[in-house]
Amino acid sequence: MSLSDLRIRIRHATENDAARVAEIYNHYVDVGGATFDTVHLSSEMVGQRIKQPKPDGWYVAESGESLLGWASARRYSDRFGYRFCCETAIYIAPDGQGRQIGNQLQQRVDQHCVQCNLHHAVARIIADNQRSLAFHYRHGYEMVGIQKEIGRMNDQWVDVAILQKIFRPDGN
């Protein structure tokens, strides 16, 4: 593997990225364990989401011509009281795993949250997804609760872990 294969660039997502972003997400719809979705997202649906104004933000990780992952910070709720809160998501293509792409995307999403004056980020994770939980803990998220049997997958009730990260202006 050459050094150029290792260079990862994080940038704002554009509508031109929508098909690949959907493809990465739809992989996880197919394999399960990371989403409750059972229907693939279309590139049009993803393109509409990418176009949403701040405080929403979408980012992609690319190496050469390959888009290897994406991350988003999206409004948690349209209710006025939640205007300083977002929900985050990160999905890495199978061929991008093990390259620290998730860490780079999470750092960029955190920067986005601070730049947009967001105070609180939420991550909802299927509770037995230990890899995702450990990732979020490493990035300063803390567990605030478990929603018992909130979702249904493979004819079984599934718990969801609710994690949060607070952004403080002074960095503490």
Side-chain angles (χ1 to χ4, degrees):
M1 185 180 299
S2 71
L3 285 177
S4 65
D5 291 334
L6 298 176
R7 288 194 193 114
I8 304 298
R9 179 176 159 232
I10 307 298
R11 63 170 174 78
H12 278 279
T14 69
E15 286 182 79
N16 293 334
D17 300 316
R20 180 64 175 147
V21 168
E23 181 182 341
I24 292 168
Y25 183 78
N26 291 338
H27 164 77
Y28 291 96
V29 171
D30 293 341
V31 300
T35 178
F36 286 130
D37 278 339
T38 58
V39 176
H40 284 184
L41 291 179
S42 69
S43 59
E44 292 79 16
M45 292 167 67
V46 173
Q48 288 300 317
R49 293 177 184 183
I50 288 172
K51 288 190 327 187
Q52 292 299 307
K54 287 184 178 182
D56 288 17
W58 287 73
Y59 299 91
V60 294
E62 63 184 5
S63 179
E65 298 295 315
S66 298
L67 198 151
L68 298 171
W70 62 269
S72 65
R74 299 178 315 271
R75 282 180 186 83
Y76 180 76
S77 172
D78 287 336
R79 293 183 178 140
F80 185 74
Y82 291 114
R83 69 191 176 279
F84 298 108
C85 181
C86 69
E87 181 175 352
T88 62
I90 295 179
Y91 287 87
I92 307 300
D95 58 338
Q97 294 182 359
R99 296 175 67 181
Q100 301 299 311
I101 293 169
N103 291 326
Q104 293 177 58
L105 284 167
Q106 184 63 56
Q107 290 168 2
R108 184 60 188 101
V109 165
D110 288 353
Q111 290 171 353
H112 171 87
C113 291
V114 170
Q115 290 167 350
C116 290
N117 199 31
L118 294 171
H119 179 68
H120 183 121
V122 174
R124 295 185 295 165
I125 301 167
I126 293 172
D128 66 0
N129 188 338
Q130 295 302 312
R131 188 173 180 182
S132 185
L133 290 170
F135 172 85
H136 282 83
Y137 293 147
R138 284 193 310 273
H139 286 278
Y141 283 76
E142 63 180 326
M143 173 85 66
V144 293
I146 299 282
Q147 292 179 297
K148 297 285 188 182
E149 300 181 4
I150 191 168
R152 192 128 174 104
M153 286 182 3
N154 302 321
D155 292 326
Q156 296 182 357
W157 291 108
V158 178
D159 299 345
V160 169
I162 308 298
L163 282 72
Q164 72 176 20
K165 183 172 185 173
I166 304 294
F167 300 99
R168 305 205 186 277
D170 60 4
N172 294 317

